[in-house]
Amino acid sequence: MNLYIKNMVCPRCIMAVRTILVSAGLTPIAVNLGEAEITEELNAEKQANLSERLAQMGFELLDDPRSQLVEQMRVCVIEWVRMEGERPKLSDYLSTRLHKDYSLLSKLFSEVKGITLERYAILHRIEYAKELLCYNQLSTSEIAYKLGYSSPAHFSAQFKQITGMTPKMMRANQTNDRIPLSEI
């Protein structure tokens, strides 16, 4: 049985969900961002129990197909942003991964989240850029290319538009105003 779980955004979330599943007496086959597969079928009581356990740790069990698809899109955007090397266009990546027409995905995402997929991806790119800037291991140009921007100037302009400061200003100020990925 596949379960769709909201707010899984990192490897620690995967470990936490796996632990919750096992502590609920379930057998996880696979646990990935936003999704877990278990061997058991859940009756209403077990589902309510699992939902409560997940909620205590900040996760949400999704049972609505629209919400499940939106969560799959969120996970795909996170994967796309953190992709190494040359990345495809976001629309192509989502269509291929989810086997759905991009216009349908985009419309659904906007309806449910109140933000376009493109804007959502930009916000994730900027949050990842903040993370990379904090590490101080890559130059601004290297970060720009790592995130798939066409140029450092484009990256800096978009970063300033979103954060109100340039990447160099953020690095110099060592501000830590990062937003948790689950809150974007």
Side-chain angles (χ1 to χ4, degrees), residues 89-100:
K89 288 176 27 180
L90 178 61
S91 57
D92 293 340
Y93 183 72
L94 289 169
S95 293
T96 301
R97 285 289 314 266
L98 300 174
H99 309 291
K100 304 236 185 272

Side-chain angles (χ1 to χ4, degrees), residues 1-2 4 7 15 17 20 22 43 52-53 55-56 80 86-87 90 100 116 120-121 123 125 129 140 147 162:
M1 171 177 202
N2 282 343
Y4 295 93
N7 294 334
M15 290 186 332
V17 167
I20 292 167
V22 170
N43 60 28
E52 184 179 313
R53 287 172 184 249
Q56 289 171 353
W80 180 81
E86 194 171 326
R87 68 187 52 164
L90 178 61
K100 304 236 185 272
T116 66
Y120 185 76
L123 293 175
R125 281 170 120 179
T140 302
L147 293 175
I162 301 293

Side-chain angles (χ1 to χ4, degrees), residues 114-133:
I115 184 174
T116 66
L117 264 168
E118 292 81 7
R119 180 73 174 170
Y120 185 76
I122 289 168
L123 293 175
H124 268 280
R125 281 170 120 179
I126 297 303
E127 286 308 312
Y128 188 35
K130 289 180 190 178
E131 179 182 328
L132 295 172
L133 287 165

Side-chain angles (χ1 to χ4, degrees), residues 128-172:
Y128 188 35
K130 289 180 190 178
E131 179 182 328
L132 295 172
L133 287 165
C134 289
Y135 294 151
N136 230 0
Q137 294 176 339
L138 299 174
S139 70
T140 302
S141 294
E142 289 170 323
I143 291 171
Y145 291 119
K146 181 176 181 70
L147 293 175
Y149 283 92
S150 58
S151 71
H154 179 219
F155 164 64
S156 292
Q158 193 166 73
F159 191 93
K160 185 172 184 178
Q161 178 189 16
I162 301 293
T163 67
M165 62 180 78
T166 66
K168 289 180 182 178
M169 289 168 60
M170 177 164 279
R171 183 175 270 162

